[in-house]
Amino acid sequence: MKPLQSFPFQRITIIGVGLIGGSLALAIKQRFPAIHITGVDTTQVLKRALDRHAIDLADKSIGRAVRSADLVILAASISSISKILPRVAKNCSPNTIVTDTGSVKRILVEQAQRLFPNWNFIGGHPMTGSEFSGINAAHLLLFQNALYVLTPTRTTKKQSLHLLEKFFTALDARICIIDPATHDSVVAAISHLPQLAAVALMNSVGKHHPDAPNHLALAAGGFRDMTRIASSPFKIWKDILSANQKEISKVLRLYIKQLNKIKSLVDTTPDRLSAEFKTSRSLRSRIPRSMKGYLTPLVELAVFVEDKPGELARLTSSLANHNVNIKDIELLKVREERGGTFRLAFENRVVATEAAHILQGAGFDVGGKW
């Protein structure tokens, strides 16, 4: 990200300078060095944020910190944001744009609509994170190419929404704009349900199965992939499960119904599961395309990299030498002493096609629809 000289936000206050708030502060400082950032948090966190040059000023008073801000970002847990909102509304200017980073939106947006008569609150949810937490884990690239959801209402000022969208886009996030209720319904299905499913699967196999608990070393890639998020700490999910209880309950009923259908077929006519497999395969292949209308989807390649020193560096340098930028990269599968398959994402099909030809010319095995 190249630094930009100016933006309508000259003074930003971030309440909660942990992983998300701290990463936002670092990204803002890198992109807009002239913007003055005030951080609000505990003494220890603020000291570390100052040491990392994430903020310019530390303040433990919410009222004082928001008084002269052009933009206020509430980067805390859902319950904390709910407690903070009245103090922010009481002390900030009616012209200040206020947003949050909570992962459940309807309950917070409805509260904010009662507190901000000038409609200067816009809900936000950056769909990114890390297995680590706190200011020490903050990174200025956390939001790069990440999905950042904004949830305006009918009363939201279009100018304010456009300004916030432009701002987060300048931090290289990818903006998705939907209403709060739709957001909560969707994330219940694609985020909250998978978390609970992973917990249930891990506990079913690891605790209640008659034999598997003593042989978890046999767990292969599929099981490991499906249960990876089962390691998430409950303290992160406690607020989410409570705040989005209604939508989570709905989608759990759908999931249980589907599991019961599959069980019935396994018990009676397993061959009929062919239709379920065919349907799920078809739906799964549509995930990138289903983003159309919200975002411009990235185009992906699957590249096999041999397990030997320097191969990954050779891959990235091959593209860098031709000025081809990788938007996202993920290790999908790894086989010890053989290699691994990496998912590489590019801005569009033209760039992906160029990348594929470059990598094939360098001797890499390339797959994907390019």
Side-chain angles (χ1 to χ4, degrees):
M1 293 187 291
K2 294 180 180 179
L4 298 177
Q5 293 303 312
S6 62
F7 200 84
F9 302 134
Q10 298 300 310
R11 303 183 71 84
I12 295 176
T13 293
I14 299 177
I15 302 175
V17 196
L19 173 65
I20 298 297
S23 295
L24 271 173
L26 289 168
I28 293 167
K29 271 296 170 191
Q30 199 271 351
R31 194 66 158 168
F32 302 103
I35 290 180
H36 184 278
I37 300 178
T38 298
V40 180
D41 211 305
T42 64
T43 301
Q44 185 177 1
V45 171
L46 291 175
K47 182 180 184 303
R48 182 60 181 141
L50 286 169
D51 290 341
R52 295 197 62 187
H53 305 288
I55 60 176
D56 301 291
L57 178 67
D59 200 329
K60 296 186 71 175
S61 167
I62 292 175
R64 185 170 55 238
V66 304
R67 216 159 278 152
S68 60
D70 304 308
L71 172 66
V72 174
I73 301 173
L74 309 179
S77 65
I78 297 166
S79 59
S80 295
I81 292 170
S82 182
K83 293 175 183 176
I84 291 167
L85 274 173
R87 277 182 281 171
V88 174
K90 181 180 179 181
N91 289 280
C92 75
S93 163
N95 297 316
T96 300
I97 295 177
V98 180
T99 188
D100 76 307
T101 64
S103 54
V104 178
K105 295 271 61 81
R106 184 184 57 81
I107 190 171
L108 292 175
V109 171
E110 287 180 354
Q111 180 187 7
Q113 284 186 299
R114 296 190 296 268
L115 293 169
F116 294 86
N118 290 287
W119 318 117
N120 50 321
F121 179 90
I122 301 173
H125 177 199
M127 299 185 73
T128 185
S130 166
E131 63 269 36
F132 305 108
S133 61
I135 180 60
N136 288 329
H139 196 283
L140 63 89
L141 297 181
L142 186 66
F143 299 91
Q144 194 171 60
N145 299 316
L147 184 63
Y148 204 116
V149 181
L150 296 177
T151 58
T153 65
R154 286 176 295 176
T155 56
T156 300
K157 297 174 183 176
K158 290 183 179 180
Q159 183 180 358
S160 297
L161 176 62
H162 176 70
L163 194 59
L164 203 58
E165 180 182 5
K166 184 179 177 183
F167 181 68
F168 288 127
T169 299
L171 302 182
D172 288 337
R174 308 173 72 213
I175 306 302
C176 174
I177 298 176
I178 54 178
D179 67 271
T182 300
H183 168 276
D184 288 359
S185 175
V186 171
V187 296
I190 65 170
S191 176
H192 307 163
L193 174 63
Q195 176 63 47
L196 294 175
V199 169
L201 177 59
M202 193 67 250
N203 289 343
S204 296
V205 173
K207 183 178 180 182
H208 300 293
H209 191 277
D211 302 310
N214 297 321
H215 301 282
L216 286 178
L218 296 177
F223 186 83
R224 289 176 182 272
D225 289 346
M226 289 188 68
T227 57
R228 177 182 57 83
I229 55 176
S231 300
S232 299
F234 179 68
K235 66 179 182 180
I236 293 176
W237 284 92
K238 182 179 178 181
D239 281 358
I240 295 172
L241 298 175
S242 176
N244 206 25
Q245 185 179 35
K246 182 179 178 182
E247 294 299 331
I248 294 171
S249 182
K250 283 182 186 177
V251 76
L252 278 171
R253 285 198 297 272
L254 289 175
Y255 189 51
I256 292 168
K257 182 179 179 181
Q258 183 67 18
L259 287 175
N260 282 330
K261 178 182 178 181
I262 290 174
K263 181 183 182 302
S264 177
L265 290 173
V266 169
D267 290 343
T268 57
T269 50
D271 287 350
R272 289 178 59 190
L273 279 168
S274 172
E276 297 296 314
F277 274 68
K278 184 178 179 180
T279 299
S280 69
R281 182 182 179 87
S282 174
L283 293 171
R284 179 65 176 80
S285 71
R286 284 169 46 195
I287 287 179
R289 292 196 297 274
S290 70
M291 295 166 66
K292 198 170 183 178
Y294 294 104
L295 298 167
T296 302
L298 299 176
V299 180
E300 300 176 352
L301 301 177
V303 184
F304 180 77
V305 179
E306 289 186 70
D307 182 15
K308 59 183 184 181
E311 277 298 280
L312 182 56
R314 188 169 72 85
L315 181 152
T316 56
S317 61
S318 295
L319 296 177
N321 290 338
H322 289 81
N323 203 31
V324 173
N325 184 41
I326 302 171
K327 284 286 186 179
D328 195 13
I329 184 169
E330 178 185 10
L331 177 60
L332 298 177
K333 294 180 181 178
V334 63
R335 293 290 182 267
E336 192 173 352
E337 296 183 357
R338 287 189 58 198
T341 300
F342 285 83
R343 178 187 66 83
L344 306 181
F346 300 90
E347 187 173 3
N348 54 49
R349 195 166 300 282
V350 173
V351 178
T353 300
E354 181 185 2
H357 290 317
I358 292 168
L359 293 174
Q360 285 178 330
F364 289 98
D365 183 4
V366 182
K369 297 179 179 180
W370 46 273

